[in-house]
Amino acid sequence: MDFLGWTFIYSIYIFPVLLLYGSPISIIVELIHKKGIFKNRWLYILLHSLFGGFFGIIVVTLDSFLFNWLFILFGAFLALVYAVIDRILYIKIKSKKAIWISLSFPVIILAFMWGGFQFASEPLPPFTAEDAIKFASEGDEMLAKFPQKEGISKVKIDGYHIIQETKAEIIDDDTYIIYFFETWSKNSESDSFSVSYKIDRNSSTLHNSDWNYSRPFEY
């Protein structure tokens, strides 16, 4: 999954955190600030940042120490950005230009982060038809016996002549339809079955099937 996809997924989890933790904390800091306990706006911003980092401390994770520290720093950074935007809007609320700049600030940050990840990340290797075939047959004992690249195999078991074929059809960038065909015959008996999957880098979906799992032979 790409950066923007992960950003969307994480946003689903972050929203309840902002609603149940971030908003009450922000209201409390705002009330303290209005009561004159402190008047320095930078202290207001600093308190938001500290509470954002504090949330990373109270979250229990099973991951590494490094991840915990990154989580704390990320929470502090988001709270810092929120507080800065809040102060800008509070001070220059009558300026339409200031409002538009403030609202566009998160989008600009996200765009810079996305660009940074794109620049730093190595390009993914090509997702080939052979990769798609391996993905489709992975974990399936029956399909693992089919050719693991486009082609045909022939075997004879208990007098049954069995032909298995694997085909790949590309339908989009890094997306394939993988077909598995099987035909068997013995004397006057014969039958054929097939199954196909739609495959991309991250998922496998059944495309079509008329497969009969009760074969007359053990394979």
Side-chain angles (χ1 to χ4, degrees):
M1 187 176 293
D2 59 17
F3 172 75
L4 294 179
W6 280 115
T7 300
F8 173 75
I9 290 177
Y10 277 113
S11 297
I12 296 173
Y13 293 95
I14 289 172
F15 178 75
V17 173
L18 293 176
L19 184 65
L20 300 175
Y21 176 82
S23 295
I25 290 294
S26 182
I27 291 170
I28 292 169
V29 173
E30 183 71 35
L31 289 173
I32 294 172
H33 180 61
K34 285 186 175 180
K35 286 183 179 293
I37 297 174
F38 63 87
K39 295 183 178 180
N40 193 314
R41 70 172 65 104
W42 290 111
L43 186 56
Y44 173 90
I45 293 171
L46 178 62
L47 283 174
H48 273 83
S49 185
L50 289 175
F51 278 111
F54 181 72
F55 181 76
I57 297 173
I58 64 176
V59 171
V60 178
T61 71
L62 299 177
D63 291 282
S64 68
F65 180 76
L66 174 62
F67 178 81
N68 290 333
W69 272 105
L70 289 175
F71 193 88
I72 293 168
L73 292 173
F74 187 66
F77 174 74
L78 288 180
L80 177 69
V81 171
Y82 168 82
V84 169
I85 293 173
D86 180 70
R87 288 299 89 187
I88 292 173
L89 290 174
Y90 181 77
I91 295 167
K92 299 184 178 181
I93 193 65
K94 294 181 180 179
S95 169
K96 290 184 179 180
K97 183 179 179 181
I99 292 173
W100 279 112
I101 291 173
S102 301
L103 293 176
S104 62
F105 192 62
V107 177
I108 294 170
I109 290 176
L110 184 63
F112 271 108
M113 291 175 66
W114 175 79
F117 276 105
Q118 290 292 102
F119 179 78
S121 301
E122 294 184 6
L124 291 172
F127 187 64
T128 65
E130 190 170 335
D131 294 329
I133 292 168
K134 289 180 179 178
F135 192 0
S137 60
E138 188 176 23
D140 190 313
E141 188 176 332
M142 179 182 66
L143 295 181
K145 293 180 170 58
F146 278 73
Q148 293 302 292
K149 57 184 179 180
E150 289 190 272
I152 296 173
S153 66
K154 298 179 181 180
V155 294
K156 186 175 181 180
I157 302 174
D158 298 332
Y160 289 92
H161 296 273
I162 304 159
I163 300 174
Q164 293 180 327
E165 181 180 6
T166 304
K167 290 180 65 177
E169 175 190 350
I170 185 166
I171 60 172
D172 201 353
D173 291 342
D174 297 338
T175 305
Y176 297 84
I177 302 294
I178 304 300
Y179 300 90
F180 299 96
F181 301 99
E182 180 176 282
T183 303
W184 59 264
S185 62
K186 180 180 181 181
N187 300 327
S188 60
E189 285 186 278
S190 66
D191 209 341
S192 62
F193 311 109
S194 67
V195 64
S196 59
Y197 293 90
K198 183 180 178 180
I199 305 291
D200 60 31
R201 285 183 182 273
N202 305 304
S203 65
S204 173
T205 307
L206 181 66
H207 177 254
N208 194 21
S209 176
D210 63 356
W211 194 268
N212 185 342
Y213 290 92
S214 58
R215 294 156 158 171
F217 52 87
E218 292 289 334
Y219 185 25

